[in-house]
Amino acid sequence: MVVNGKKLHFETQISVVELLVHLNLNDTRIVVELNKKILPKTQFTNTILTDSDEIEIVGFVGGG
Amino acid sequence: MSDFILGGKKFKSRLLIGTGKFPQKETITKAIKSSESGIITLALRRVDLQSVEENILSYIPDDMTLLPNTSGARNATEAIRIAHLSEAMGCGNWIKIEVISDQKYLLPDNEETLKATRILVKEGFVVLPYISPDLMTAKKLVDAGAAAVMPLGSPIGSNRGIRTKELSQIIINEIDIPVIIDAGIGAPSDAAMVMEMGADAVLVNTAIASAENPDKMAEAFKLAVQAGRIAFISKLGAKSKFANPSSPLTGFLNS
């Protein structure tokens, strides 16, 4: 799968929650786009990712 | 002083501040406090997976109204996508539309901004569009249901002050929704000047963030915005070409 433009490979199936834990990210402060569609936080646990998925994880940064 | 009403909310302060370019994030918290601002801008970006640093939200008091911008958008479609992502963060539905494809001067694309505004207002967003100061665009944004218009003073981050004075004044005079002067405000005197002109509020980022002491500079901007507002309400006296004595014109002892 591609996460934020970077290729990642996992040996076993992995859910969105597990991906976020792996990346050390706090799920309250980010938004996940799965294949260009926003994924509601309520679906993080039961959404299983496949190797062909494209994931964008975005968050707030400083800006004017 | 009268409250500032924006997007259906009441604010005591007419100073909005940005969170970009602060050398240390801790400084942001201090500057926010000194500014007494109630509205703060943010940007949305890909999370850096290499260095997970403390989230910007940790430095912003909970009672602030967040105004995420759509910086990075080059057209209406991208701005709308960013607005949707920002809303999904769960921090409100305010959005500052910023559509830019000119990388040298970072001047906004008014046409794409108008397009995005029309759609996002219909979707229920509180939309604050950043524009080049063009009256007709501002009027169309009012018709589209924008919560405010944000004409620029000079290019983003330039600290060059108000180079659009005449055009901004026309927008202030003719537009009935809040006019927030954004970008390029380099010194508290710039902010005071546009407030004297009748602007409803100002948005300041670089001038505070790039000051040697951002905390004190935020305070200076707070006072300048207040002074300018009071001066506007008090209505400036008339200008004249020649002197008008403030003291009696008679000689000191003989008339």
Side-chain angles (χ1 to χ4, degrees), chain A:
Chain A
M1 67 187 76
V2 177
V3 181
N4 285 8
K6 199 181 153 211
K7 266 199 174 160
L8 292 180
H9 181 71
F10 296 93
E11 293 303 324
T12 53
Q13 281 199 325
I14 173 169
S15 71
V16 174
V17 165
E18 286 163 334
L19 174 69
L20 295 176
V21 169
H22 172 81
L23 295 171
N24 202 13
L25 291 172
N26 174 345
D27 71 353
T28 61
R29 300 243 159 124
I30 49 107
V31 171
V32 174
E33 237 187 21
L34 176 58
N35 302 322
K36 302 244 152 65
K37 278 173 87 176
I38 294 169
L39 188 70
K41 286 189 190 352
T42 50
Q43 291 175 26
F44 282 6
T45 314
N46 55 20
T47 302
I48 304 297
L49 299 167
T50 69
D51 231 24
S52 61
D53 281 334
E54 255 182 62
I55 298 119
E56 282 290 344
I57 306 170
V58 299
F60 283 137
V61 297

Side-chain angles (χ1 to χ4, degrees), chain B residues 137-158:
Chain B
T137 302
K139 283 188 172 180
K140 288 174 192 171
L141 286 166
V142 174
D143 291 341
V149 289
M150 306 179 83
L152 62 95
S154 53
I156 292 174
S158 68

